[in-house]
DNA sequence: TCAAGATTTAGAATAATTCTAAATTGGGTG
DNA sequence: CACCCAATTTAGAATTATTCTAAATCTTGA
């Protein structure tokens, strides 16, 4: 993944949040940095724990609030794979998620280019594809 | 949807559960009936409340257990659309879910026939497509 | 500088799900 | 048929995930 410089990042964040009527705050920046830092689809709880290392006073509710702000502004995506905690992903390029049932890793995969055929009048805003199966490494080990 | 007679249903349930090493119990039957009865993608809590009408002694944990048994046996699908409760769907024909952000209704929609292109070695077991947007009725009302 | 509104905080509250241990049920076997 | 074993159910406690609340803090524009 091409790294964006911090300054560019700031500007990008400010713009995207601004367009949604939200401000760029140190906490939102921090939460975004956590997502960028390791794109392993962490849960809100995991984001909280990682953010706390750099910003020990950050609270639980703030992390949820920041994640929601990022999602609303199109800076992150919410990924729900199962019963259980929601995960987050800063990769905004159209893609799906492959969940390995053996090692529980989540991989980003290409979407089919072909658009979904919707009933007349329905308007899609965005869609999520979650694929469950076994990843190459786990398949090999069997 | 074509209704299956009760007796056929029983046999179908017994077979499917049996193949997974599970038994058909009155509770599992009841939970399955609830799903068949109204295919509106209820949450586990909603299934619990509906099942209780016919079977007042049924417990919370049993409903979760039954739903898991049905999902494992390929008799129902788990649908996760958002943060919040998981929903269930007895329609096992390949399809995706459209979630109207305005009225919160969940519609079944056709999947693209084209298969997902996965990285080499990955094996898909099943996949879920969740589309978020506005349904025809809600779009009209705006 | 001040007021208004946005944001954050800690912690309580709620919602969703899982766990536990005891009771019950359903087959298969002698 | 009586018994045993394993699967299942039950009630309720426990845990996990998320949201809410009210007070404190920060930011921005007048």
């Amino acid at each position: 993944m091409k790294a964006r410089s911090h300054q560019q990042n700031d500007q990008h964040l400010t713009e995207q949040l601004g367009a949604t009527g939200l401000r760029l705050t140190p906490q939102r920046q921090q939460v975004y940095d956590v997502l960028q830092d390791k794109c392993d689809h962490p849960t809100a709880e995991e984001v909280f724990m990682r953010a706390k290392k750099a910003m020990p006073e950050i609270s639980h509710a703030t992390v949820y609030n920041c994640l929601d702000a990022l999602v609303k502004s199109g800076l992150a995506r919410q990924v729900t794979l199962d019963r259980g905690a929601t995960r987050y992903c800063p990769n905004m390029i159209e893609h799906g998620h492959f969940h390995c049932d053996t090692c529980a890793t989540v991989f980003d995969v290409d979407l089919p280019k072909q658009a979904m055929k919707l009933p007349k009048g329905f308007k899609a805003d965005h869609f999520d594809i979650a694929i469950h199966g076994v990843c190459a490494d786990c398949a090999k080990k069997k």
Side-chain angles (χ1 to χ4, degrees), chain A:
Chain A
M1 181 185 302
K2 194 171 62 176
R4 219 189 279 265
S5 85
H6 238 293
Q7 184 155 13
Q8 281 180 313
N9 242 341
D10 280 10
Q11 200 177 332
H12 184 226
L13 286 180
T14 305
E15 268 170 27
Q16 295 278 110
L17 286 164
T20 324
L22 299 166
R23 296 205 278 246
L24 174 57
T25 65
Q27 288 85 350
R28 285 173 183 163
Q29 171 84 254
Q30 177 59 42
V31 165
Y32 187 69
D33 286 351
V34 166
L35 291 184
Q36 288 284 329
D37 204 44
K38 196 167 172 220
C39 183
D40 60 349
H41 308 84
T43 63
E45 184 63 26
E46 285 163 345
V47 172
F48 173 60
M49 291 189 302
R50 293 178 197 174
K52 253 183 45 167
K53 283 186 192 152
M55 193 180 261
E57 350 64 53
I58 200 169
S59 89
H60 225 152
T62 300
V63 169
Y64 276 94
N65 164 359
C66 291
L67 287 169
D68 286 348
L70 294 175
V71 170
K72 273 204 202 102
S73 312
L75 289 158
R77 298 175 40 162
Q78 218 175 270
V79 181
T80 48
L81 288 167
D82 277 310
R83 247 160 23 188
T86 304
R87 294 165 179 284
Y88 293 86
C89 169
N91 176 2
M92 295 306 290
I93 294 165
E94 199 170 67
H95 68 284
H97 291 106
F98 184 98
H99 181 258
C100 177
D101 292 330
T102 301
C103 64
T105 307
V106 179
F107 302 86
D108 288 356
V109 299
D110 284 343
L111 277 186
K113 286 130 213 155
Q114 180 189 20
M116 211 69 37
K117 224 175 34 188
L118 291 177
K120 204 166 138 71
F122 281 56
K123 282 184 52 180
D125 176 43
H126 69 277
F127 52 90
D128 299 311
I129 303 203
I131 308 148
H132 296 254
V134 183
C135 73
D137 278 358
C138 287
K140 224 183 296 172
K141 281 179 199 151
K142 283 218 174 141

